[in-house]
Amino acid sequence: MQGEVSALENIFSKVDRNEDLTREDALVLLKIENRSDDFYRLLSKANELSQKEYGNKGYVFAQIGLNSAPCPGNCKFCSMGCENFMVEEETEKSMEEVVEEAGRALAQNIDALFLMTTADYDIEKYIEISRQVKKIMPPDVMLIANIGDFDLKTAKKLKETGFTGIYHIVRLNEGIDTALDPAQRIQTLDAIRDAGLELIYCVEPIGPEHTYEQIAEEMFRAREYHVDIMACMKRVGVEGTPLFDRGEITDLELTKIVAAARLVTRPKKSMNVHEPKQMALLAGVNQLYAEIGINPRDCAVETGNNRGFSIAAVKDMLRQVGYTTK
Ligand code: SF4
C-alpha cells in the first residue's frame, strides 16, 4: 500500500516538474482501482492540471456526418461496417444541406466544425463541399476533416481547402476488429504532420477486452505526434454489430482513463471525453462534441434526434462545472 502511494506521489511530482511520464507510470495510473482514494487523487490531479493550463476555457466541437453507407472499413463496432450495415437507410447530404447545417452549428458559436464521412467517400466531392463550408466559417473556428486514409498530396490539398486539422487515429485492435491496415493509418498520421495540419487524436473505441498496455500505447502515439487536442472514447455497443456482446466499460472506468491520458499526453489546448460524460468533467476534460447527421454509434440517420448531444446540451454540461464557452 505504502509503495503504491509513493509511486503515485512520484508520478504527480513528475507532472508538476513537466517531465514526461513513462509507460510504467501510465500503467500505474491505469491500474488504479476505481473508487479507491487513489482514483479520486488521480481525477483531482488531472483537474488541477487543466485548471492551471486551460483556466476555465471550455470548448465545443460539432461534427456533421455527411453520409451513411456500407463502409469498407468494416469496423466490427460500427453501425455502417459493410458486413453489418444497420443504419435505417443509406443517405448522402447534398452540398446545400451540409452548408445549411454548418451554418446552423456556426450560429451557435462553436470552436471547431468536423466534417465526417465513411472511409471511401469521394475525396474530390468532399473537398468541394468543404470549400463551400469554409466560405461561411469565421476565421477563429477550426475546420477539421474526419475521413478515410490519404497520402501527403491529399493532406496538402486539404490544407489548401482551409482545413486546420484532421481527426485520425489508429484504433484499438485496428486490423483485427477493422478491415483497415494499421500501417496505412500511421502513414496518414505522418501525412497530416508533414502537411502541417493539426492532428486531433483519441484513444478509441475502448472496450472491456482492451488491455491497459494497448490503451497506454495510443496515449504515447498521441504524444509522439505532439497532439494538443486529445480525447478518449469508449465503445458504445450497437446491437447487431459483431462486438456488441463484448459489452462496454463503465463511465467510471472511462473517467479514470481520460484522467490518465490528461497526465500522460499533456495536450496543450484541450482534453475531451466521448460521448459526453458529466463525471469526466471533474477529471480534466474541458471539451465536448455535439453531433449532427450520422455517427458510427447510432442507427438513426439523424443522431442529433437520437444518440447525439446537441450543441446547447454540451455547452450546458461544460457550464455546469464552471467552464465558460463562446
Ligand atoms: S468506424 Fe468509420 S471506417 Fe469504420 S466502418 Fe464505421 S464509418 Fe467505416
Side-chain angles (χ1 to χ4, degrees):
M1 180 68 191
Q2 190 58 41
E4 279 173 33
V5 171
S6 299
L8 199 56
E9 286 308 327
N10 183 34
I11 292 170
F12 289 173
S13 302
K14 279 192 189 177
V15 171
D16 291 341
R17 294 194 302 271
N18 291 323
E19 269 176 44
D20 280 347
L21 299 186
T22 62
R23 279 176 168 70
E24 292 69 34
D25 294 334
L27 290 176
V28 168
L29 298 179
L30 289 166
K31 286 178 181 171
I32 288 173
E33 196 182 322
N34 291 338
R35 298 175 69 205
S36 65
D37 286 352
D38 285 351
F39 172 85
Y40 293 105
R41 291 169 70 207
L42 169 61
L43 268 51
S44 175
K45 192 69 190 172
N47 182 60
E48 177 196 312
L49 195 60
S50 288
Q51 290 294 305
K52 195 166 87 186
E53 296 182 351
Y54 307 150
N56 290 330
K57 176 80 186 113
Y59 290 93
V60 176
F61 295 177
Q63 173 154 276
I64 302 177
L66 268 52
N67 70 322
S68 73
C71 174
N74 203 25
C75 303
K76 292 181 185 168
F77 49 82
C78 177
S79 57
M80 290 185 283
C82 57
E83 286 175 14
N84 306 285
F85 184 77
M86 50 194 49
V87 179
E88 51 197 11
E89 57 179 319
E90 288 185 37
T91 59
E92 187 170 326
K93 291 185 195 297
S94 66
M95 184 187 294
E96 292 69 29
E97 284 172 317
V98 178
V99 173
E100 202 184 301
E101 278 183 357
R104 277 203 295 273
L106 292 164
Q108 295 175 73
N109 292 324
I110 53 173
D111 297 288
L113 181 67
F114 288 53
L115 300 180
M116 178 180 68
T117 67
T118 50
D120 60 345
Y121 192 89
D122 183 80
I123 189 69
E124 293 305 328
K125 197 185 340 176
Y126 182 80
I127 284 178
E128 194 41 49
I129 292 175
S130 306
R131 200 169 276 136
Q132 299 309 317
V133 170
K134 183 69 183 175
K135 283 184 189 164
I136 63 162
M137 288 186 65
D140 65 333
V141 179
M142 295 180 280
L143 180 60
I144 313 290
N146 182 358
I147 57 179
D149 285 295
F150 51 82
D151 59 11
L152 182 58
K153 199 170 149 220
T154 301
K156 286 180 178 167
K157 228 170 170 180
L158 289 165
K159 187 144 194 242
E160 280 163 25
T161 307
F163 280 96
T164 43
I166 314 285
Y167 180 88
H168 207 77
I169 50 157
V170 179
R171 298 178 187 82
L172 296 166
N173 283 352
E174 190 83 81
I176 299 168
D177 291 332
T178 75
L180 302 165
D181 177 7
Q184 198 176 4
R185 305 290 295 170
I186 291 169
Q187 279 171 21
T188 305
L189 296 180
D190 290 346
I192 293 164
R193 180 197 53 208
D194 296 346
L197 287 157
E198 173 146 25
L199 173 65
I200 288 102
Y201 207 73
C202 183
V203 183
E204 66 127 308
I206 308 168
E209 75 278 20
H210 298 125
T211 65
Y212 287 140
E213 284 77 8
Q214 282 181 289
I215 290 168
E217 198 54 40
E218 293 315 314
M219 294 180 190
F220 280 87
R221 200 188 307 279
R223 205 165 78 189
E224 184 192 324
Y225 283 91
H226 306 289
V227 166
D228 286 327
I229 300 177
M230 180 64 182
C232 294
M233 181 178 102
K234 78 174 187 178
R235 183 178 66 229
V236 170
V238 180
E239 206 167 348
T241 56
L243 298 194
F244 175 72
D245 291 341
R246 290 199 197 156
E248 298 180 0
I249 61 167
T250 62
D251 292 353
L252 213 58
E253 175 72 1
L254 180 63
T255 299
K256 177 179 70 184
I257 295 170
V258 84
R262 176 69 186 91
L263 301 191
V264 172
T265 313
R266 302 294 296 261
K268 290 194 182 65
K269 287 186 195 155
S270 66
M271 187 73 219
N272 159 270
V273 72
H274 202 62
E275 299 171 324
K277 304 285 175 200
Q278 196 96 44
M279 71 171 80
L281 295 172
L282 298 175
V285 166
N286 71 329
Q287 182 257 305
L288 298 173
Y289 282 99
E291 291 175 294
I292 301 158
I294 184 66
N295 88 51
R297 308 173 320 284
D298 203 346
C299 295
V301 287
E302 183 42 72
T303 195
N305 298 332
N306 198 40
R307 221 192 142 92
F309 285 66
S310 69
I311 294 170
V314 298
K315 278 193 175 184
D316 186 53
M317 287 175 80
L318 286 160
R319 284 180 188 148
Q320 291 296 329
V321 290
Y323 284 112
T324 54
T325 57
K326 270 185 180 177

